[in-house]
Amino acid sequence: SIALSIKQLVKTYDNGFQALKGVDLDVKEGDFFALLGPNGAGKSTTIGVICSLVTKSAGKVSVFGYDIDTQFAEAKKQIGIVPQEFNFSQFETVRTIVVNQAGYYGLKKSIAVERTEKYLKQLGLWDKRDTPARMLSGGMKRRLMIARALIHEPRLLILDEPTAGVDIELRRSMWDFLREINAKGTTIILTTHYLEEAESLCRNVAIIDRGQIVENTSVKALLKTL
Ligand code: ADP
Ligand code: ADP
């Protein structure tokens, strides 16, 4: 089945700038997909629309068949989002931030506690569970956002530039973690401006430039053209 379908997506910001000029994109269930493009190409805008953080000007977006406008609640349950900026309270503890996210999805407390432990352990943050977020390193904060995004066990995980500013060693361990959850069936879409990241992680790739998809192919095929 199709995890994500985007049809003729247009976004014009309030200042009149057209950031997306009719984007079409399909991502299949189980895929590990890269949206690759230079800074300013429209990657974050696309992600913002999918998560309903940015209102689109035109077009249709559905997630596992759920329309993000007319079936918002169902669509939202399918998605876990790891934004670029840290958007959690710096004063709450690691554990609280993840457990509270579960409340946002209406999960039972016992399940929330169990999954929080599972994901914090998997991401190497269990020792930091009672630490306020402001005390964490940048890489730890990024892993915290991944744990938080997984709490409702979404079928689609979307990461916006997940390893920007992350050192090489941590980048590799984050890559391994993402490969593992993809192997267990989670569809993953990440945005990146590093070809290397798309190359080592992803199966399929779309290249976006100035608000338009200019290439949509397998990573293997893309590398042959370079
Ligand atoms: P990317 O994630 O690929 O770096 P973005 O989606 O963040 O690109 O931005 C695409 C374009 O839209 C850029 O030219 C950016 O300056 C512009 N843009 C982003 N947000 C706004 C906004 N709120 N108002 C006006 N222009 C914006
Ligand atoms: P509020 O409920 O206060 O309006 P938001 O809807 O912006 O807040 O979301 C609350 C938190 O949940 C934010 O940190 C946001 O980034 C995160 N969030 C929003 N939508 C999703 C989603 N589909 N998956 C994971 N996290 C999300």
Side-chain angles (χ1 to χ4, degrees), residues 60-106:
K60 279 204 146 312
V61 178
S62 61
V63 183
F64 289 101
Y66 297 109
D67 186 282
I68 62 158
D69 297 320
T70 58
Q71 296 167 295
F72 172 71
E74 281 305 321
K76 189 178 80 171
K77 279 187 213 159
Q78 313 297 319
I79 310 173
I81 170 83
V82 182
Q84 235 181 96
E85 11 22 274
F86 305 128
N87 61 352
F88 42 76
S89 162
Q90 297 287 324
F91 297 96
E92 283 175 345
T93 66
V94 166
R95 185 184 352 218
T96 304
I97 288 167
V98 179
V99 168
N100 284 354
Q101 183 76 1
Y104 178 76
Y105 290 98

Side-chain angles (χ1 to χ4, degrees), residues 27-72:
V27 177
K28 291 201 181 75
E29 179 165 21
D31 206 350
F32 204 138
F33 191 94
L35 184 59
L36 178 69
N39 283 324
K43 302 182 297 295
S44 295
T45 302
T46 304
I47 301 288
V49 170
I50 299 166
C51 312
S52 302
L53 300 171
V54 172
T55 48
K56 60 187 161 59
S57 308
K60 279 204 146 312
V61 178
S62 61
V63 183
F64 289 101
Y66 297 109
D67 186 282
I68 62 158
D69 297 320
T70 58
Q71 296 167 295
F72 172 71

Side-chain angles (χ1 to χ4, degrees), residues 206-217:
I207 300 179
I208 187 168
D209 188 27
R210 282 165 283 182
Q212 287 178 307
I213 302 293
V214 294
E215 183 84 77
N216 191 345
T217 184

Side-chain angles (χ1 to χ4, degrees), residues 11 13-20 37-47 84 160-161 191 193 208 211:
K11 172 62 186 179
Y13 280 108
D14 290 346
N15 65 1
F17 183 77
Q18 197 170 57
L20 300 177
N39 283 324
K43 302 182 297 295
S44 295
T45 302
T46 304
I47 301 288
Q84 235 181 96
D160 198 1
E161 302 262 357
T191 71
H193 58 265
I208 187 168

